[in-house]
Structures are given as structure tokens and as C-alpha cells.
Amino acid sequence: MAEESFTDPGAAPRAPQLAIERVYVRDVSFESPKSPGIFGSEWKPEVHMDINTRSNALDAQRHEVVLTLTIEARIDGEAAMIVELQQAGIFRLENMDGVLTEQVLATACPTALFPYARETVDALVTKGTFPPLMLAPMNFDALYAEAKRRAAEREERPPDSFVN
């Protein structure tokens, strides 16, 4: 019996779908600028982390998302270790409108990439003979909501007036 394919105009729209095609390290750097002297110091660093995401469309359904982490551990104001990582993935998004696509690329995709980034950072740090650095989970939904709120605030503010 042959299968027939037809489109039913009354059929419900297909559900949005997200698939991970590939996860990879796009770029990585580890620096220990004060080695070997830093190994004699008590390890109580001040750790600072910057996090950023970006995405670019590869075609109509496939997108590359890059999660960038920059982590710096300082002791007595001097950099003890610096880790820079671009953890990336290729994601297939189907049946999503522009608004949903933007949200998924900014939240769900980085959420999927973050465990890989955590493992890579921890491996680099321990191979540098520093104590393990397990990054706390990130709430990309909250980060996205905050970024949208700030963007809305900027749009609501009237332009600065100039006085001559």
C-alpha cells in the first residue's frame, strides 16, 4: 500500500522543533601569565566572568550559535589565569516565527551549549594545575529578559537635547 502525501488546509500548524546538529569548540585560549610564581600563592582568587552569545543564520533553518566566556582569576590585583572560550553549535529550527526564533537562539541554544563550555573551562583550568573551576548554571531566560527590558528602556528614553 502506497503512502499518500497531501496538505490539509484545516490541519493545525506543525509544532516548533529544535535540533542540535553539532557542538564544537570554535576558539579557546588559556593563559597563566604569572606562572610559575603564582603557584606559591594562597589560592583565593577574585574571579570575574563575562558571557556573551551571538548567532548567525547558515540557511533558512540552520543557525550557528556561539557562547563566549571570558574568565579571569586575579590574586592581589594581578591576573593569575585567563580563560577565553567560544563554545559553538549548529542548531536546526523548524516551524518558528521570527520572535520565537530570536528567543530560542538567545536562550535554549546557549542553555544547551553551557554544559559543554563548563566542562571545557574546568578541563583547561585543571590542566593548568589550578584547582577545579566549576561554573554555576546560567539562566539564559533571565539574561534574555533583562536584555529585552534594557532595550525597551533605551527606546522609551527621549533623545538628549542639546543646548547651544
Side-chain angles (χ1 to χ4, degrees):
M1 184 162 154
E3 280 189 38
E4 291 184 31
S5 177
F6 66 93
T7 303
D8 179 1
R14 294 184 56 199
Q17 294 182 353
L18 169 64
I20 302 171
E21 289 188 357
R22 183 172 299 260
V23 174
Y24 53 98
V25 172
R26 195 165 208 268
D27 191 18
V28 66
S29 170
F30 176 85
E31 297 175 48
S32 181
K34 298 296 181 185
S35 294
I38 196 69
F39 300 130
S41 299
E42 183 178 8
W43 187 248
K44 290 189 177 181
E46 178 183 314
V47 178
H48 177 73
M49 181 173 77
D50 288 325
I51 188 165
N52 197 354
T53 62
R54 65 178 167 81
S55 64
N56 60 303
L58 302 175
D59 58 38
Q61 295 179 328
R62 296 170 58 240
H63 301 265
E64 178 191 48
V65 176
V66 180
L67 173 64
T68 302
L69 302 176
T70 303
I71 302 160
E72 186 173 9
R74 293 183 157 278
I75 294 182
D76 297 327
E78 295 189 272
M81 133 184 103
I82 303 164
V83 177
E84 297 172 320
L85 171 66
Q86 289 183 359
Q87 185 73 54
I90 298 174
F91 298 86
R92 178 177 295 278
L93 283 66
E94 297 180 7
N95 307 316
M96 295 186 196
D97 63 16
V99 173
L100 183 56
T101 295
E102 175 189 315
Q103 184 175 2
V104 167
L105 291 173
T107 60
C109 296
T111 297
L113 293 173
F114 191 74
Y116 295 95
R118 273 180 68 173
E119 190 278 329
T120 300
V121 166
D122 185 58
L124 286 169
V125 168
T126 57
K127 286 180 181 180
T129 72
F130 291 97
L133 179 63
M134 289 302 296
L135 302 176
M138 300 292 301
N139 184 338
F140 289 96
D141 291 311
L143 293 173
Y144 177 72
E146 178 64 16
K148 293 297 272 184
R149 184 190 65 75
R150 287 183 182 180
E153 276 182 5
R154 283 191 302 271
E155 288 177 10
E156 290 175 3
R157 267 190 235 142
D160 293 337
S161 45
F162 296 96
V163 178
N164 292 355

